[in-house]
Amino acid sequence: MNSETSLLLTDLYQLTMLQGYFERGMNETAVFEFFVRKLRPGRGFLMAAGVEQALDFLEQARFTAEELQWLRSTKRFSDGFVDWLADWRFEGEVYAMPEGTVCFPNEPLLRVVAPMPQAQLVETRLINLLNFQTLIASKAARSVLVAPGKLLVDFGLRRAHGAEAGLLAARAAYLAGFSGSSTVLASARFGVPAFGTMAHSFVQAHDSEIDSFRSFAHAQPDNVVLLIDTYDTEAAAHKVVELGHELAGEGIAIKGVRLDSGDLGELARRVRRILDDGGLQATTIFASGDLDEYRLRELLARGAPIDGFGIGTRLDTSADVPYLDCAYKLQEYASKPRRKRSIGKATWPGRKQVWRSYDEQGRMAGDVVSLEDDHQMGEPLLVPVMRGGRRLTQPALEEARRDAADNLGKLPVHLALLEEGPAYPVEIAPALQQLAGAVDAQK
Amino acid sequence: MNSETSLLLTDLYQLTMLQGYFERGMNETAVFEFFVRKLRPGRGFLMAAGVEQALDFLEQARFTAEELQWLRSTKRFSDGFVDWLADWRFEGEVYAMPEGTVCFPNEPLLRVVAPMPQAQLVETRLINLLNFQTLIASKAARSVLVAPGKLLVDFGLRRAHGAEAGLLAARAAYLAGFSGSSTVLASARFGVPAFGTMAHSFVQAHDSEIDSFRSFAHAQPDNVVLLIDTYDTEAAAHKVVELGHELAGEGIAIKGVRLDSGDLGELARRVRRILDDGGLQATTIFASGDLDEYRLRELLARGAPIDGFGIGTRLDTSADVPYLDCAYKLQEYASKPRRKRSIGKATWPGRKQVWRSYDEQGRMAGDVVSLEDDHQMGEPLLVPVMRGGRRLTQPALEEARRDAADNLGKLPVHLALLEEGPAYPVEIAPALQQLAGAVDAQK
């Protein structure tokens, strides 16, 4: 039972509710939408991501014989119900914002239209997939915005929350504009460019630091990036200069050095001087260690001569804001709009569309959320991505990455600068407000 | 390429360093230890977890033909090196604190002793597995401490960071003392008891709320827990009373109600009164929605009549502290102790053991970290768990859960109460301090 594909990776209540729907024959069309209720403090926008994995899941989801056998063994479910699960397939329609689209609270990022037992069962995993990549893409985009032109590499796999988090964080960061990731599997699976240097253990395992540098350079002559903070950063920079002249004779260039501890800005300045004085002007400086968009902005504002950054733990865990206040809610069942009115968690009923307008400079000026057929000014953001349980053509990751860059280029100025300012305007169209009132009045 | 088992789920530098070791024939024994450098603010202790999955990984790790083919296709590595990877196996020794052990910074939780190319390559995934479950067990233990005797259920899968995070968070929370989880796969894979109620969509899909309750009760007569906040919580509680009398005639009892929004403490009080006045004294109240140990403590201090809690997002993401400041560092190579001296990240060299002493009440009084053979007073915490790449007998999850409860019962009082107080004493033995000085002097 592979956790990434098993339909048992769900909440128990999905199965108990399903048995309820099965027994009552409640098989009418349900419409669910995934959206974010509100932004957590310090965040001004989101970037939609994870649609590709959501569609993979919907296309491939089925119960295996082993899973059905296990369900039977629990004695929680009737035999008739478990037999029926054997034929469970997702055969519905899906609409979504393309990955890389900048978006905001109360806007549906994805809509599922399918018979209730199909649309309900997929809730848990859909949220699980969409929450995570949208979270990470939204976080990564912030580093991309504060460090234009810098090499940004995801280094977070080791402290990501498990295997899939590490893999998909690499994908989401690349989508948002990172140059690549240290995670090899992200390169094999998604074509995310792989980057890497060396670890302290490699330096420590050699009896002298310069010998470890020499050994690494000979093993990886095309990608000589040396980690210089294991013992004493400035002393190591002098060794790099010495080695640089030696290796030049063999036709090997030292491409870069990496700093991973201490005052990165000050050390970068001193190391830059040592390298320049030693004739290694072309050797770049790469920094890592507890970085995020706040530290990047601070380092760059101080003029630190750093050419690239490895951003790890705080990116892959979205450390300051590790989850989205998101939900997947029933908006229509059996052709009737539905609405939840729970305190602080009320939803907008019906099938919805989001329309985006731009100002004269081409920057995003405001969105309107309306009922699907209530056309508004601007560009509609949700597009069909699946019909009859089969995906329609999806943008390749490279194309989604270009869309993401295009979206980030159109952000309102204060959002692009990660500065405080007015919330981006998202208006609820009058007809939608009226429908919500009408639904409330029926209960 | 399944991300949970692929050896490509690693940092690129592991492979580039490995090629360096391969080319230089550096195959001597390396000793790495996994430890936490320091606790993040607000945390007083850790609970070791994830050893079981770490051993699974070490036992099963190998490169598949498809992965080797992909590595060749990148042109980054020599053919000889990729051929050699085909036979890569982990055949080393592992020592670890048993899962459920309470532990502290600077204490090794796990030690790997193996030829360098084996011990190095596993770094990324070992950290990935040990960081996450230790993080979640440590977080879950805090709810267990503040809510003794309450039913605590993990509800976090949907906002956990991907599939494996959801699955393993359920396991780690159960290990730490939770009653179970809503995640079905955690039940199928690990025997974690499964709990579940119903979602708002189930209520919304029916034309009346009481009809949805009736439908659910008939589908799950042994587990009737009704969600009562979809429209108006108190009105729904009155409907529960009405239905309770109706169902009693059919021999079905309403086991509980769930609150998921609003002022949970105040609503619980009102609902309790409605249920009691209606003769449903045996119907319990279960609460969920943005809960964590801080909210639990506050609700219980105010005397909220809540019998159980569903704790989701903030548990599975460890929202206030979403990562550990942990590392897997080379402490010895080719029989020589090694030490990293990077600013703020210096390590203690050599193979180490942790010794724990207790006071007269049986509470933990202090630990000593020493070289492995430098016996100290107290109980040694690290035990052998793998030899020659094969695991030794491991405690079953239920046994580890009992050990965890036993450990939590022995915490110093202020740590058990989650109160501010002195840091738990962890002493570095004199011989270890001397060794560190001697290693520094050699460089």
Side-chain angles (χ1 to χ4, degrees), chain A residues 1-4 8 11-13 76 120 128 157-159 161 163-164 182 185 189 194 201 204 322 326 338 342, chain B residues 1-4 8 11-13 76 120 128 157-159 161 163-164 182 185 189 194 201 204 229 322 326 338:
Chain A
M1 300 184 199
N2 180 320
S3 71
E4 290 172 22
L8 298 187
D11 292 299
L12 179 63
Y13 77 6
R76 281 179 185 268
Q120 178 70 66
N128 175 273
L157 170 58
R158 62 189 58 199
R159 294 202 198 87
H161 291 183
E164 192 177 49
S182 65
L185 191 61
R189 284 266 286 267
S201 54
Q204 293 171 273
C326 60
R338 310 275 165 161
S342 313
Chain B
M1 299 184 200
N2 179 321
S3 70
E4 290 172 23
L8 298 187
D11 291 299
L12 180 62
Y13 77 6
R76 282 179 185 269
Q120 177 70 66
N128 175 273
L157 170 59
R158 61 189 58 198
R159 295 202 197 87
H161 291 183
E164 192 177 50
S182 65
L185 191 60
R189 284 266 286 265
S201 53
Q204 293 171 275
D229 79 323
C326 60
R338 309 276 165 160

Short mmCIF file of all heavy atoms in Angstrom, two decimals, chain A residues 1-4 8 11-13 76 120 128 157-159 161 163-164 182 185 189 194 201 204 322 326 338 342, chain B residues 1-4 8 11-13 76 120 128 157-159 161 163-164 182 185 189 194 201 204 229 322 326 338:
data_model
loop_
_atom_site.label_atom_id
_atom_site.label_comp_id
_atom_site.label_asym_id
_atom_site.label_seq_id
_atom_site.Cartn_x
_atom_site.Cartn_y
_atom_site.Cartn_z
N MET A 1 0.85 -1.20 0.00
CA MET A 1 0.00 0.00 0.00
C MET A 1 0.88 1.25 0.00
O MET A 1 1.29 1.74 1.04
CB MET A 1 -0.91 0.02 1.24
CG MET A 1 -1.84 -1.19 1.32
SD MET A 1 -2.95 -1.03 2.76
CE MET A 1 -3.48 -2.74 2.95
N ASN A 2 1.19 1.71 -1.19
CA ASN A 2 2.00 2.91 -1.38
C ASN A 2 1.21 4.13 -0.94
O ASN A 2 0.10 4.38 -1.42
CB ASN A 2 2.35 2.99 -2.86
CG ASN A 2 3.20 4.19 -3.19
OD1 ASN A 2 3.00 5.27 -2.65
ND2 ASN A 2 4.16 3.99 -4.06
N SER A 3 1.75 4.91 -0.01
CA SER A 3 0.94 6.00 0.55
C SER A 3 0.60 7.05 -0.49
O SER A 3 -0.41 7.73 -0.37
CB SER A 3 1.64 6.62 1.75
OG SER A 3 2.75 7.36 1.35
N GLU A 4 1.42 7.20 -1.53
CA GLU A 4 1.14 8.25 -2.51
C GLU A 4 0.02 7.88 -3.47
O GLU A 4 -0.54 8.74 -4.13
CB GLU A 4 2.42 8.61 -3.28
CG GLU A 4 3.40 9.33 -2.38
CD GLU A 4 4.76 9.54 -3.00
OE1 GLU A 4 4.88 9.53 -4.23
OE2 GLU A 4 5.72 9.72 -2.23
N LEU A 8 -6.62 4.48 0.58
CA LEU A 8 -6.76 4.47 2.04
C LEU A 8 -6.03 5.65 2.68
O LEU A 8 -6.16 5.87 3.88
CB LEU A 8 -6.23 3.15 2.63
CG LEU A 8 -6.95 1.88 2.18
CD1 LEU A 8 -6.43 0.69 2.98
CD2 LEU A 8 -8.45 2.01 2.35
N ASP A 11 -9.30 10.28 5.19
CA ASP A 11 -9.91 10.28 6.52
C ASP A 11 -10.98 9.22 6.59
O ASP A 11 -11.77 9.05 5.65
CB ASP A 11 -10.53 11.65 6.80
CG ASP A 11 -9.49 12.73 6.94
OD1 ASP A 11 -8.65 12.64 7.86
OD2 ASP A 11 -9.50 13.69 6.14
N LEU A 12 -11.06 8.55 7.74
CA LEU A 12 -12.06 7.51 7.92
C LEU A 12 -13.46 8.01 7.56
O LEU A 12 -14.27 7.28 6.99
CB LEU A 12 -12.03 7.01 9.37
CG LEU A 12 -13.05 5.92 9.71
CD1 LEU A 12 -12.81 4.66 8.90
CD2 LEU A 12 -13.02 5.61 11.20
N TYR A 13 -13.75 9.27 7.87
CA TYR A 13 -15.13 9.72 7.63
C TYR A 13 -15.50 9.73 6.16
O TYR A 13 -16.68 9.66 5.82
CB TYR A 13 -15.45 11.01 8.37
CG TYR A 13 -14.96 12.35 7.87
CD1 TYR A 13 -14.30 12.56 6.68
CD2 TYR A 13 -15.23 13.47 8.66
CE1 TYR A 13 -13.91 13.81 6.28
CE2 TYR A 13 -14.84 14.74 8.27
CZ TYR A 13 -14.17 14.90 7.08
OH TYR A 13 -13.78 16.15 6.69
N ARG A 76 -16.07 -2.82 9.69
CA ARG A 76 -16.77 -1.55 9.80
C ARG A 76 -17.77 -1.35 8.68
O ARG A 76 -18.63 -0.47 8.76
CB ARG A 76 -15.78 -0.39 9.68
CG ARG A 76 -14.98 -0.08 10.93
CD ARG A 76 -14.05 1.09 10.61
NE ARG A 76 -13.16 1.38 11.71
CZ ARG A 76 -13.41 2.26 12.68
NH1 ARG A 76 -14.54 2.92 12.70
NH2 ARG A 76 -12.53 2.47 13.64
N GLN A 120 -16.75 13.28 -3.22
CA GLN A 120 -16.50 13.31 -1.78
C GLN A 120 -15.23 12.56 -1.41
O GLN A 120 -14.42 13.05 -0.63
CB GLN A 120 -17.69 12.69 -1.03
CG GLN A 120 -17.51 12.62 0.47
CD GLN A 120 -17.56 13.99 1.12
OE1 GLN A 120 -18.58 14.66 1.12
NE2 GLN A 120 -16.44 14.44 1.66
N ASN A 128 -4.69 17.74 0.50
CA ASN A 128 -3.30 17.43 0.87
C ASN A 128 -2.33 17.85 -0.25
O ASN A 128 -1.28 18.44 0.00
CB ASN A 128 -3.23 15.93 1.17
CG ASN A 128 -1.84 15.40 1.44
OD1 ASN A 128 -1.14 15.03 0.50
ND2 ASN A 128 -1.44 15.35 2.70
N LEU A 157 15.27 19.24 1.14
CA LEU A 157 14.77 17.87 1.27
C LEU A 157 14.94 17.27 2.65
O LEU A 157 14.03 16.64 3.19
CB LEU A 157 15.47 16.99 0.22
CG LEU A 157 15.26 15.48 0.33
CD1 LEU A 157 13.80 15.11 0.27
CD2 LEU A 157 16.03 14.76 -0.78
N ARG A 158 16.08 17.47 3.28
CA ARG A 158 16.33 16.75 4.53
C ARG A 158 15.37 17.12 5.65
O ARG A 158 15.07 16.30 6.50
CB ARG A 158 17.78 16.92 4.98
CG ARG A 158 18.15 18.36 5.27
CD ARG A 158 19.64 18.47 5.49
NE ARG A 158 20.36 17.96 4.33
CZ ARG A 158 21.64 17.58 4.36
NH1 ARG A 158 22.33 17.64 5.47
NH2 ARG A 158 22.22 17.15 3.25
N ARG A 159 14.91 18.35 5.67
CA ARG A 159 13.99 18.73 6.75
C ARG A 159 12.55 18.96 6.24
O ARG A 159 11.69 19.39 6.98
CB ARG A 159 14.51 19.94 7.51
CG ARG A 159 15.80 19.61 8.26
CD ARG A 159 16.08 20.53 9.42
NE ARG A 159 17.49 20.43 9.80
CZ ARG A 159 18.48 21.13 9.24
NH1 ARG A 159 18.23 22.03 8.31
NH2 ARG A 159 19.73 20.96 9.65
N HIS A 161 8.90 17.56 5.26
CA HIS A 161 8.11 16.61 6.05
C HIS A 161 7.88 15.32 5.26
O HIS A 161 6.79 15.07 4.76
CB HIS A 161 6.80 17.24 6.48
CG HIS A 161 6.96 18.34 7.49
ND1 HIS A 161 5.92 19.01 8.06
CD2 HIS A 161 8.07 18.86 8.06
CE1 HIS A 161 6.38 19.90 8.93
NE2 HIS A 161 7.68 19.84 8.94
N ALA A 163 9.05 12.16 2.37
CA ALA A 163 9.55 11.99 1.01
C ALA A 163 8.80 12.86 0.00
O ALA A 163 9.39 13.60 -0.78
CB ALA A 163 9.43 10.52 0.60
N GLU A 164 7.49 12.75 0.02
CA GLU A 164 6.73 13.47 -1.00
C GLU A 164 6.87 14.99 -0.83
O GLU A 164 6.92 15.73 -1.81
CB GLU A 164 5.25 13.08 -0.95
CG GLU A 164 4.50 13.58 -2.17
CD GLU A 164 3.05 13.15 -2.20
OE1 GLU A 164 2.36 13.32 -1.17
OE2 GLU A 164 2.60 12.65 -3.24
N SER A 182 18.50 20.69 -5.06
CA SER A 182 19.50 19.64 -4.79
C SER A 182 18.88 18.25 -4.86
O SER A 182 19.60 17.26 -4.85
CB SER A 182 20.12 19.86 -3.42
OG SER A 182 19.14 19.70 -2.41
N LEU A 185 15.82 13.27 -7.23
CA LEU A 185 14.60 12.67 -7.77
C LEU A 185 13.72 13.70 -8.48
O LEU A 185 12.98 13.36 -9.41
CB LEU A 185 13.82 11.98 -6.64
CG LEU A 185 12.66 11.08 -7.08
CD1 LEU A 185 13.14 9.93 -7.97
CD2 LEU A 185 11.91 10.53 -5.86
N ARG A 189 12.28 12.94 -12.05
CA ARG A 189 10.83 12.87 -12.24
C ARG A 189 10.25 14.06 -12.99
O ARG A 189 9.31 13.92 -13.77
CB ARG A 189 10.13 12.77 -10.87
CG ARG A 189 10.22 11.42 -10.22
CD ARG A 189 9.02 10.54 -10.54
NE ARG A 189 7.85 10.98 -9.82
CZ ARG A 189 7.45 10.52 -8.65
NH1 ARG A 189 8.11 9.55 -8.07
NH2 ARG A 189 6.38 10.98 -8.06
N ALA A 194 19.28 19.96 -11.36
CA ALA A 194 19.88 19.54 -10.09
C ALA A 194 21.15 20.33 -9.82
O ALA A 194 21.97 20.52 -10.71
CB ALA A 194 20.18 18.05 -10.15
N SER A 201 31.20 16.69 5.84
CA SER A 201 31.78 15.37 6.09
C SER A 201 32.86 15.04 5.07
O SER A 201 33.84 14.36 5.38
CB SER A 201 30.69 14.30 6.07
OG SER A 201 29.96 14.38 4.87
N GLN A 204 35.89 16.81 6.27
CA GLN A 204 36.38 16.19 7.50
C GLN A 204 37.02 14.82 7.26
O GLN A 204 37.90 14.40 8.01
CB GLN A 204 35.21 15.98 8.47
CG GLN A 204 34.60 17.26 9.01
CD GLN A 204 33.33 16.89 9.78
OE1 GLN A 204 32.26 16.80 9.20
NE2 GLN A 204 33.47 16.65 11.06
N PRO A 322 3.27 27.52 7.98
CA PRO A 322 3.42 26.16 7.43
C PRO A 322 2.14 25.51 6.91
O PRO A 322 2.15 24.32 6.62
CB PRO A 322 4.01 25.38 8.62
CG PRO A 322 3.57 26.13 9.83
CD PRO A 322 3.40 27.57 9.43
N CYS A 326 -7.14 26.51 4.09
CA CYS A 326 -7.82 26.14 2.85
C CYS A 326 -8.91 25.09 3.10
O CYS A 326 -8.93 24.45 4.15
CB CYS A 326 -6.81 25.58 1.85
SG CYS A 326 -5.95 24.12 2.45
N ARG A 338 -25.55 24.97 -2.36
CA ARG A 338 -25.46 24.62 -0.94
C ARG A 338 -24.49 25.58 -0.27
O ARG A 338 -23.55 26.06 -0.88
CB ARG A 338 -24.93 23.18 -0.77
CG ARG A 338 -25.68 22.15 -1.60
CD ARG A 338 -26.93 21.64 -0.92
NE ARG A 338 -27.78 20.94 -1.89
CZ ARG A 338 -28.74 20.07 -1.55
NH1 ARG A 338 -29.01 19.82 -0.27
NH2 ARG A 338 -29.47 19.49 -2.47
N SER A 342 -21.21 27.80 9.15
CA SER A 342 -20.47 27.71 10.42
C SER A 342 -19.77 29.03 10.72
O SER A 342 -19.25 29.69 9.82
CB SER A 342 -19.42 26.61 10.33
OG SER A 342 -19.96 25.43 9.79
N MET B 1 9.73 5.21 -10.09
CA MET B 1 10.59 5.70 -9.00
C MET B 1 9.72 6.22 -7.86
O MET B 1 9.33 7.38 -7.82
CB MET B 1 11.49 6.83 -9.51
CG MET B 1 12.42 6.40 -10.64
SD MET B 1 13.53 7.76 -11.11
CE MET B 1 14.03 7.26 -12.76
N ASN B 2 9.42 5.34 -6.94
CA ASN B 2 8.62 5.67 -5.78
C ASN B 2 9.45 6.54 -4.84
O ASN B 2 10.54 6.16 -4.43
CB ASN B 2 8.24 4.34 -5.09
CG ASN B 2 7.42 4.54 -3.85
OD1 ASN B 2 7.66 5.46 -3.07
ND2 ASN B 2 6.44 3.68 -3.66
N SER B 3 8.92 7.72 -4.49
CA SER B 3 9.78 8.65 -3.75
C SER B 3 10.13 8.12 -2.36
O SER B 3 11.15 8.48 -1.80
CB SER B 3 9.11 10.02 -3.65
OG SER B 3 8.00 9.97 -2.81
N GLU B 4 9.29 7.25 -1.79
CA GLU B 4 9.57 6.78 -0.43
C GLU B 4 10.67 5.72 -0.40
O GLU B 4 11.24 5.45 0.64
CB GLU B 4 8.29 6.25 0.22
CG GLU B 4 7.34 7.39 0.53
CD GLU B 4 5.97 6.94 0.99
OE1 GLU B 4 5.85 5.81 1.48
OE2 GLU B 4 5.03 7.72 0.86
N LEU B 8 17.29 7.88 -5.24
CA LEU B 8 17.46 9.21 -5.86
C LEU B 8 16.77 10.29 -5.02
O LEU B 8 16.94 11.47 -5.30
CB LEU B 8 16.91 9.23 -7.29
CG LEU B 8 17.58 8.29 -8.29
CD1 LEU B 8 17.05 8.55 -9.69
CD2 LEU B 8 19.10 8.44 -8.26
N ASP B 11 20.18 14.38 -1.85
CA ASP B 11 20.80 15.59 -2.40
C ASP B 11 21.86 15.20 -3.42
O ASP B 11 22.63 14.26 -3.21
CB ASP B 11 21.47 16.38 -1.27
CG ASP B 11 20.46 16.98 -0.32
OD1 ASP B 11 19.64 17.79 -0.77
OD2 ASP B 11 20.49 16.64 0.88
N LEU B 12 21.93 15.99 -4.49
CA LEU B 12 22.92 15.70 -5.54
C LEU B 12 24.32 15.54 -4.96
O LEU B 12 25.10 14.71 -5.41
CB LEU B 12 22.90 16.83 -6.58
CG LEU B 12 23.89 16.68 -7.73
CD1 LEU B 12 23.60 15.42 -8.55
CD2 LEU B 12 23.87 17.91 -8.63
N TYR B 13 24.64 16.33 -3.93
CA TYR B 13 26.03 16.26 -3.45
C TYR B 13 26.38 14.92 -2.84
O TYR B 13 27.55 14.55 -2.78
CB TYR B 13 26.39 17.45 -2.58
CG TYR B 13 25.92 17.56 -1.15
CD1 TYR B 13 25.25 16.56 -0.46
CD2 TYR B 13 26.22 18.73 -0.44
CE1 TYR B 13 24.87 16.72 0.87
CE2 TYR B 13 25.85 18.90 0.88
CZ TYR B 13 25.17 17.89 1.53
OH TYR B 13 24.81 18.05 2.82
N ARG B 76 26.69 13.04 -15.76
CA ARG B 76 27.43 13.65 -14.65
C ARG B 76 28.43 12.69 -14.03
O ARG B 76 29.31 13.10 -13.29
CB ARG B 76 26.47 14.04 -13.53
CG ARG B 76 25.69 15.30 -13.75
CD ARG B 76 24.78 15.52 -12.54
NE ARG B 76 23.90 16.66 -12.71
CZ ARG B 76 24.21 17.90 -12.31
NH1 ARG B 76 25.35 18.16 -11.74
NH2 ARG B 76 23.34 18.89 -12.49
N GLN B 120 27.58 7.74 4.18
CA GLN B 120 27.34 9.09 3.63
C GLN B 120 26.06 9.16 2.81
O GLN B 120 25.26 10.09 2.97
CB GLN B 120 28.52 9.49 2.75
CG GLN B 120 28.37 10.85 2.08
CD GLN B 120 28.46 11.98 3.07
OE1 GLN B 120 29.49 12.23 3.67
NE2 GLN B 120 27.36 12.70 3.28
N ASN B 128 15.67 13.22 6.93
CA ASN B 128 14.28 13.47 6.52
C ASN B 128 13.30 12.64 7.37
O ASN B 128 12.26 13.14 7.83
CB ASN B 128 14.17 13.14 5.02
CG ASN B 128 12.78 13.21 4.45
OD1 ASN B 128 12.05 12.23 4.51
ND2 ASN B 128 12.40 14.35 3.91
N LEU B 157 -4.24 14.89 8.35
CA LEU B 157 -3.76 14.43 7.03
C LEU B 157 -3.92 15.47 5.93
O LEU B 157 -3.02 15.68 5.11
CB LEU B 157 -4.49 13.14 6.66
CG LEU B 157 -4.33 12.62 5.23
CD1 LEU B 157 -2.87 12.36 4.90
CD2 LEU B 157 -5.14 11.33 5.05
N ARG B 158 -5.05 16.14 5.87
CA ARG B 158 -5.31 16.99 4.70
C ARG B 158 -4.32 18.15 4.58
O ARG B 158 -4.03 18.59 3.48
CB ARG B 158 -6.74 17.51 4.70
CG ARG B 158 -7.08 18.36 5.91
CD ARG B 158 -8.56 18.65 5.93
NE ARG B 158 -9.32 17.38 5.95
CZ ARG B 158 -10.60 17.28 5.63
NH1 ARG B 158 -11.26 18.36 5.25
NH2 ARG B 158 -11.20 16.12 5.69
N ARG B 159 -3.83 18.65 5.70
CA ARG B 159 -2.87 19.76 5.59
C ARG B 159 -1.45 19.35 5.98
O ARG B 159 -0.56 20.19 6.08
CB ARG B 159 -3.35 20.96 6.40
CG ARG B 159 -4.65 21.54 5.82
CD ARG B 159 -4.88 22.98 6.20
NE ARG B 159 -6.28 23.32 5.96
CZ ARG B 159 -7.27 23.12 6.83
NH1 ARG B 159 -7.02 22.59 8.02
NH2 ARG B 159 -8.51 23.44 6.52
N HIS B 161 2.15 17.81 5.05
CA HIS B 161 2.92 18.13 3.84
C HIS B 161 3.12 16.88 2.98
O HIS B 161 4.20 16.28 2.95
CB HIS B 161 4.26 18.74 4.24
CG HIS B 161 4.13 20.11 4.83
ND1 HIS B 161 5.20 20.89 5.20
CD2 HIS B 161 3.04 20.87 5.09
CE1 HIS B 161 4.77 22.05 5.66
NE2 HIS B 161 3.47 22.06 5.62
N ALA B 163 1.83 12.98 1.27
CA ALA B 163 1.30 11.68 1.68
C ALA B 163 2.06 11.10 2.86
O ALA B 163 1.48 10.70 3.87
CB ALA B 163 1.39 10.71 0.50
N GLU B 164 3.37 11.03 2.74
CA GLU B 164 4.13 10.38 3.80
C GLU B 164 4.03 11.15 5.12
O GLU B 164 3.98 10.56 6.20
CB GLU B 164 5.60 10.23 3.39
CG GLU B 164 6.34 9.30 4.34
CD GLU B 164 7.79 9.07 3.94
OE1 GLU B 164 8.50 10.05 3.68
OE2 GLU B 164 8.19 7.90 3.89
N SER B 182 -7.54 9.86 12.22
CA SER B 182 -8.55 9.71 11.17
C SER B 182 -7.95 9.07 9.91
O SER B 182 -8.70 8.69 9.02
CB SER B 182 -9.15 11.08 10.82
OG SER B 182 -8.16 11.91 10.26
N LEU B 185 -5.06 4.81 6.29
CA LEU B 185 -3.86 4.05 5.93
C LEU B 185 -2.96 3.80 7.15
O LEU B 185 -2.25 2.80 7.21
CB LEU B 185 -3.07 4.78 4.83
CG LEU B 185 -1.95 3.99 4.17
CD1 LEU B 185 -2.46 2.72 3.49
CD2 LEU B 185 -1.19 4.85 3.16
N ARG B 189 -1.60 0.20 7.88
CA ARG B 189 -0.16 -0.04 7.86
C ARG B 189 0.44 -0.26 9.25
O ARG B 189 1.37 -1.04 9.42
CB ARG B 189 0.57 1.15 7.22
CG ARG B 189 0.46 1.20 5.72
CD ARG B 189 1.63 0.53 5.03
NE ARG B 189 2.81 1.35 5.12
CZ ARG B 189 3.22 2.22 4.19
NH1 ARG B 189 2.56 2.35 3.07
NH2 ARG B 189 4.30 2.93 4.37
N ALA B 194 -8.42 3.82 14.12
CA ALA B 194 -9.01 4.82 13.22
C ALA B 194 -10.26 5.42 13.85
O ALA B 194 -11.10 4.70 14.39
CB ALA B 194 -9.35 4.17 11.89
N SER B 201 -20.14 18.51 4.33
CA SER B 201 -20.75 18.22 3.03
C SER B 201 -21.86 17.18 3.15
O SER B 201 -22.84 17.21 2.42
CB SER B 201 -19.69 17.74 2.04
OG SER B 201 -18.98 16.65 2.59
N GLN B 204 -24.81 19.05 4.33
CA GLN B 204 -25.29 19.94 3.27
C GLN B 204 -25.97 19.19 2.12
O GLN B 204 -26.85 19.72 1.46
CB GLN B 204 -24.12 20.72 2.67
CG GLN B 204 -23.48 21.72 3.59
CD GLN B 204 -22.21 22.24 2.93
OE1 GLN B 204 -21.14 21.63 3.04
NE2 GLN B 204 -22.31 23.35 2.23
N ASP B 229 -22.32 21.74 13.72
CA ASP B 229 -22.11 23.18 13.54
C ASP B 229 -22.32 23.69 12.12
O ASP B 229 -21.94 24.83 11.82
CB ASP B 229 -20.70 23.57 13.99
CG ASP B 229 -19.65 23.20 12.94
OD1 ASP B 229 -19.81 22.14 12.30
OD2 ASP B 229 -18.71 23.98 12.75
N PRO B 322 8.05 24.19 12.96
CA PRO B 322 7.86 23.16 11.94
C PRO B 322 9.12 22.38 11.54
O PRO B 322 9.07 21.63 10.58
CB PRO B 322 7.28 23.94 10.76
CG PRO B 322 7.74 25.32 10.96
CD PRO B 322 7.94 25.55 12.43
N CYS B 326 18.36 20.00 13.46
CA CYS B 326 19.03 18.70 13.62
C CYS B 326 20.09 18.48 12.55
O CYS B 326 20.11 19.16 11.53
CB CYS B 326 17.99 17.58 13.53
SG CYS B 326 17.10 17.57 11.97
N ARG B 338 36.65 13.08 14.40
CA ARG B 338 36.58 14.23 13.50
C ARG B 338 35.64 15.25 14.11
O ARG B 338 34.69 14.91 14.81
CB ARG B 338 36.03 13.83 12.12
CG ARG B 338 36.74 12.63 11.50
CD ARG B 338 38.00 13.02 10.76
NE ARG B 338 38.82 11.84 10.48
CZ ARG B 338 39.77 11.78 9.55
NH1 ARG B 338 40.02 12.84 8.79
NH2 ARG B 338 40.49 10.69 9.38
#
